[in-house]
Amino acid sequence: MSTSNIVRGRDGRCLEVLTKSDFVNEEIWEKINGCDLRACEKWILLSVVDLIDLTGFSLTQVREVKEIVCKKLHPVIYQATELGNDTRISFGSKKLDSILIDMLKIGLILELWGEAGSGKTQLALQICSALQPEYHSAYISTEGAVPTSRLLDMCNARGMSQVNCEIQQCTSLEGFTECVMKQLPILIQMKTIKLIIIDSIAAIFRAGVIDDDGIQRAQKIRSIGQQLKYLAHHHNLLVVVLNQATENPSTGMMPALGMTWAYLVNSRLRIQKINSNEVKGQRRIIVQKSPCLKIGTFVDCQVHQSGII
Amino acid sequence: MSIPVTSLPLPHSIVKEFTSKGLNFVSNFITGDRNNTNYEVEFSSEIEKLNLTKYQKDLLMDALMQFFSSTHSVDLGDELLISTPPIITFCSQIDRLLGGGISPGEIIELVGEPGSGCTQLCMQIAVDCTLPQQFGGRGDKVLLVDCDGGICVKRLTQISQAALSHLQFLSESSKEPPVTNLSTGQIMSNIHTTRCTDFTQLSSVIYNLNVKCEYGAIIIDSIATNFRYDFGDMRQRTNVLAQISNELHALCIKSPVSVILVNQVRMDGKGDIQPCLGESWSHTADRRLLLRRCQEDTYSATMMKGAKSGESANFRISSSGIRDCVHS
């Protein structure tokens, strides 16, 4: 396959292109090639009038090419019966799996949020350790030191000495964007990644890191979210995004980054400390958004040396 | 149906004769049985007011027959629209708000904040569309275009099973023939779904639907996802959205398919909730429903555009799907 067939889009993704074999009429192909309109995306973006201007085709010819383009771009339509049960990965705890396993369906984005010290990182690391040793994970840290020793401890507790986890630390928005847009896709090509953990999304977008223009910030959050959704779906992996809590005067504790980020996640879990004098380290994990689990479903669990069970 | 005389394929001289005598509409001078598909047309006595030659009368009759012939697309469309029932939502309050349900040939937009129940309502409507017409469905296949990833097969199965058991209960109590030929598997096989991660995929799906559409309803959840990110040139975004809007309208004229779109909302400068995708896009939908989560289990649906604008309905989301709120 010649490299000239690869056309890259805005975010480095490989775009669908028209090739010579799509056309019976060679002249049409020559014209398309000559006007640099091989990218299918352009046939959707440009209006029919623009396309006629650029190519010199007639309206009928433009429509014919559009039909070929749409056939190429068309996603597969499935009957609901054809879609079997999707794979789920594990929490690494029987108790959590028994009730909440549907939250870890691959191909989606799961948000895990809670106040500081509630155990989000613990839970994320545990999910990562439960994947070993067959699959790889990617761990992107934005909040300082990466708890590699904790991860090793968890894996050792399961009898594994080796950890298949790629760790990346990003401290700036540019670095983080670079990582999600460019480096992750390359990593996914090289290893069978089943899990991407982002710890945490809030730290990157919080005050002072980028210009306070709300609209700009929202656009950047959405670009990241769109890319994560694409990676999750096309490469069949789960993206777990950790988020911080923020105080809202009218509604109480909420996940940070507001409605913009809330639209981008498929499911949401809240991890909450239970204050108790007798038993320390108790946590409640509550379902706040899910395609199939009822909102409000919760599990009470304990933070131990070996993890959250 | 008041057809103006000016829309008939007649020479201007004849049309002037009519309008000068005040006979502006076809119904003024013909009698005919509208229910008869052959449209027997006869002139009423009003026609004697005009001095028409026999030739002119023949011309007029010919034009009228052309207009009223049963293959005329306007009449065919009308008949299909009248005979196709609306799709119910299984929540009587919402159905009442919608004037019976989701009408054929309409484009309705569901908007709401994250977690307001839009996707759940979509899944319920998808199941309802496949139900037989006598039970409030369309008896037809449905296409669920999933742009978010929120459509869950397990949940669809759950909703189908609940709908089916409700139908069986209904047919038993009304002593109608039991719904034996419908199963969960059949319902699920009539629900077609596709995942669009890009605006180009979404555009191509809608383009192809315009070429050939074999569905009773199209549900897009959600139209906003693929357009609300760094699109680069906003004019291009408006272009693509305008194209999609045109194609959806063309689709609804050709066939009695219902289009259900889910859109996102944003807060404008004054703190009011506005649907996304801009001013031009907001004209696409015929009706708009704002969904909101009120309490733990209760949700509300408010009509934002269309008849009964401003009125609300309450519903809840249970393991069976969308249902009325239970009043104690």
Side-chain angles (χ1 to χ4, degrees):
Chain A
M1 206 196 295
S2 72
T3 45
S4 64
N5 268 341
I6 300 177
V7 175
R8 298 232 171 252
R10 274 178 304 273
D11 36 20
R13 252 184 258 167
C14 208
L15 294 183
E16 194 75 49
V17 288
L18 295 164
T19 57
K20 190 168 179 189
S21 52
D22 293 321
F23 299 97
V24 174
N25 189 336
E26 278 207 29
E27 277 180 22
I28 297 192
W29 164 246
E30 291 303 316
K31 209 59 212 275
I32 291 176
N33 208 0
C35 303
D36 191 26
L37 281 174
R38 281 181 304 131
C40 290
E41 188 187 71
K42 293 209 179 132
W43 287 86
I44 306 272
L45 279 173
L46 297 169
S47 69
V48 172
V49 178
D50 287 333
L51 289 168
I52 292 179
D53 274 342
L54 280 170
T55 56
F57 286 159
S58 70
L59 181 59
T60 334
Q61 286 175 317
V62 165
R63 286 216 180 108
E64 274 173 22
V65 180
K66 273 199 95 160
E67 263 202 57
I68 297 175
V69 162
C70 285
K71 270 211 186 77
K72 277 207 140 176
L73 291 170
H74 204 290
V76 187
I77 296 186
Y78 297 100
Q79 289 183 350
T81 40
E82 290 170 351
L83 298 171
N85 253 330
D86 297 301
T87 332
R88 289 149 177 79
I89 60 178
S90 163
F91 274 101
S93 146
K94 280 213 188 75
K95 192 175 188 186
L96 294 178
D97 279 349
S98 64
I99 301 179
L100 300 177
I101 189 98
D102 280 331
M103 299 301 281
L104 295 182
K105 204 158 72 153
I106 56 167
L108 303 177
I109 303 186
L110 167 68
E111 182 185 31
L112 193 54
W113 74 282
E115 288 149 13
S118 48
K120 315 184 281 289
T121 308
Q122 301 282 356
L123 193 55
L125 290 175
Q126 189 167 303
I127 300 173
C128 180
S129 68
L131 264 186
Q132 313 296 337
E134 307 123 79
Y135 299 112
H136 285 256
S137 324
Y139 189 102
I140 303 174
S141 170
T142 61
E143 280 187 356
V146 184
T148 35
S149 52
R150 191 81 177 93
L151 180 59
L152 261 162
D153 281 344
M154 282 184 180
C155 290
N156 286 335
R158 288 178 200 280
M160 282 170 281
S161 51
Q162 195 200 357
V163 183
N164 291 331
C165 183
E166 313 295 323
I167 297 175
Q168 172 81 6
Q169 229 174 327
C170 301
T171 43
S172 70
L173 178 61
E174 289 76 31
F176 182 68
T177 314
E178 175 83 15
C179 180
V180 170
M181 297 298 199
K182 305 248 169 71
Q183 291 167 358
L184 270 182
I186 298 176
L187 183 65
I188 294 171
Q189 303 277 23
M190 297 196 304
K191 313 237 162 112
T192 27
I193 303 257
K194 263 286 180 271
L195 173 71
I196 298 178
I197 299 174
I198 300 188
D199 182 6
S200 66
I201 188 98
I204 277 293
F205 287 103
R206 273 199 140 159
V209 184
I210 62 171
D211 36 2
D212 276 312
D213 185 356
I215 299 178
Q216 280 258 3
R217 190 178 99 137
Q219 290 285 49
K220 292 201 162 105
I221 295 176
R222 279 188 214 118
S223 299
I224 303 276
Q226 180 83 354
Q227 172 74 346
L228 290 173
K229 265 213 172 134
Y230 170 81
L231 292 175
H233 175 72
H234 278 263
H235 299 287
N236 279 321
L237 43 88
L238 172 68
V239 179
V240 176
V241 180
L242 272 51
N243 201 359
Q244 293 166 1
T246 183
E247 181 100 49
N248 184 308
S250 47
T251 46
M253 282 293 178
M254 301 275 287
L257 304 183
M259 215 156 65
T260 314
W261 174 248
Y263 269 125
L264 294 164
V265 299
N266 296 114
S267 30
R268 179 187 285 156
L269 279 176
R270 178 182 184 177
I271 180 165
Q272 219 174 358
K273 281 188 207 170
I274 300 178
N275 285 326
S276 159
N277 287 326
E278 300 93 44
V279 192
K280 292 277 177 216
Q282 275 217 309
R283 299 285 186 271
R284 174 165 288 188
I285 301 181
I286 313 167
V287 174
Q288 293 195 325
K289 182 175 182 178
S290 167
C292 44
L293 284 181
K294 185 174 155 84
I295 295 179
T297 315
F298 66 91
V299 181
D300 285 340
C301 48
Q302 197 79 21
V303 179
H304 272 295
Q305 181 63 28
S306 53
I308 300 186
I309 51 165
Chain B
M1 197 157 74
S2 326
I3 303 169
V5 170
T6 43
S7 63
L8 290 176
L10 285 172
H12 185 66
S13 51
I14 299 189
V15 175
K16 235 175 35 169
E17 271 283 307
F18 279 89
T19 52
S20 67
K21 296 277 178 5
L23 296 171
N24 291 315
F25 293 100
V26 170
S27 46
N28 293 143
F29 58 84
I30 64 158
T31 58
D33 188 3
R34 272 285 280 136
N35 294 324
N36 192 343
T37 45
N38 282 333
Y39 292 118
E40 305 279 306
V41 171
E42 277 174 17
F43 291 133
S44 69
S45 51
E46 294 287 299
I47 208 82
E48 305 308 321
K49 274 191 191 167
L50 307 160
N51 292 324
L52 295 176
T53 64
K54 178 163 189 324
Y55 170 68
Q56 285 173 324
K57 276 190 188 162
D58 285 343
L59 207 60
L60 178 60
M61 181 56 83
D62 191 56
L64 286 170
M65 289 313 291
Q66 261 191 56
F67 208 94
F68 282 116
S69 69
S70 57
T71 55
H72 196 286
S73 58
V74 172
D75 295 312
L76 196 62
D78 269 348
E79 286 193 30
L80 269 178
L81 281 180
I82 293 167
S83 62
T84 314
I87 306 177
I88 63 168
T89 61
F90 265 71
C91 168
S92 64
Q93 275 203 36
I94 299 183
D95 289 336
R96 207 169 13 91
L97 188 62
L98 292 174
I102 298 176
S103 322
E106 85 158 309
I107 302 179
I108 183 166
E109 198 178 49
L110 306 174
V111 300
E113 291 182 24
S116 53
C118 294
T119 308
Q120 294 292 322
L121 184 54
C122 282
M123 289 198 269
Q124 180 71 60
I125 295 171
V127 169
D128 293 344
C129 181
T130 63
L131 302 177
Q133 290 197 1
Q134 69 259 38
F135 289 110
R138 198 55 77 69
D140 226 336
K141 295 196 279 248
V142 58
L143 180 64
L144 258 178
V145 182
D146 184 14
C147 302
D148 268 342
I151 300 295
C152 174
V153 173
K154 194 167 161 184
R155 180 66 173 142
L156 275 173
T157 317
Q158 214 180 10
I159 296 178
S160 308
Q161 282 167 343
L164 209 55
S165 55
H166 185 76
L167 288 201
Q168 273 159 356
F169 166 73
L170 275 182
S171 63
E172 271 163 30
S173 55
S174 69
K175 298 194 185 16
E176 270 199 32
V179 196
T180 46
N181 56 346
L182 205 56
S183 68
T184 314
Q186 257 189 299
I187 294 181
M188 294 293 280
S189 65
N190 278 333
I191 300 178
H192 292 197
T193 162
T194 181
R195 182 92 159 82
C196 288
T197 48
D198 201 61
F199 74 91
T200 55
Q201 289 185 319
L202 183 60
S203 292
S204 60
V205 168
I206 295 174
Y207 188 89
N208 273 337
L209 283 174
N210 234 332
V211 173
K212 185 179 111 159
C213 179
E214 45 183 29
Y215 301 102
I218 315 279
I219 305 175
I220 305 182
D221 179 19
S222 81
I223 192 97
T225 325
N226 292 322
F227 287 99
R228 283 193 85 198
Y229 69 108
D230 191 17
F231 214 86
D233 190 350
M234 285 307 265
R235 279 177 313 159
Q236 283 185 336
R237 186 182 101 155
T238 316
N239 258 344
V240 180
L241 280 174
Q243 271 182 38
I244 289 181
S245 177
N246 285 339
E247 280 164 13
L248 287 176
H249 277 130
L251 184 61
C252 290
I253 290 176
K254 272 192 270 201
S255 61
V257 63
S258 303
V259 177
I260 296 109
L261 305 167
V262 177
N263 196 359
Q264 295 177 358
V265 293
R266 59 181 177 87
M267 295 291 188
D268 70 359
K270 302 182 220 131
D272 292 327
I273 290 188
Q274 295 286 340
C276 297
L277 299 183
E279 180 71 37
S280 334
W281 173 259
S282 64
H283 297 290
T284 305
D286 302 312
R287 293 200 280 187
R288 185 175 298 121
L289 214 53
L290 170 68
L291 300 183
R292 210 179 232 149
R293 184 163 181 229
C294 307
Q295 287 156 30
E296 278 305 307
D297 252 341
T298 327
Y299 297 75
S300 77
T302 312
M303 190 65 89
M304 273 175 85
K305 178 182 180 187
K308 300 200 185 143
S309 184
E311 285 183 33
S312 292
N314 283 335
F315 65 97
R316 69 186 166 94
I317 302 180
S318 73
S319 57
S320 324
I322 305 283
R323 295 290 188 270
D324 278 301
C325 285
V326 180
H327 293 291
S328 48

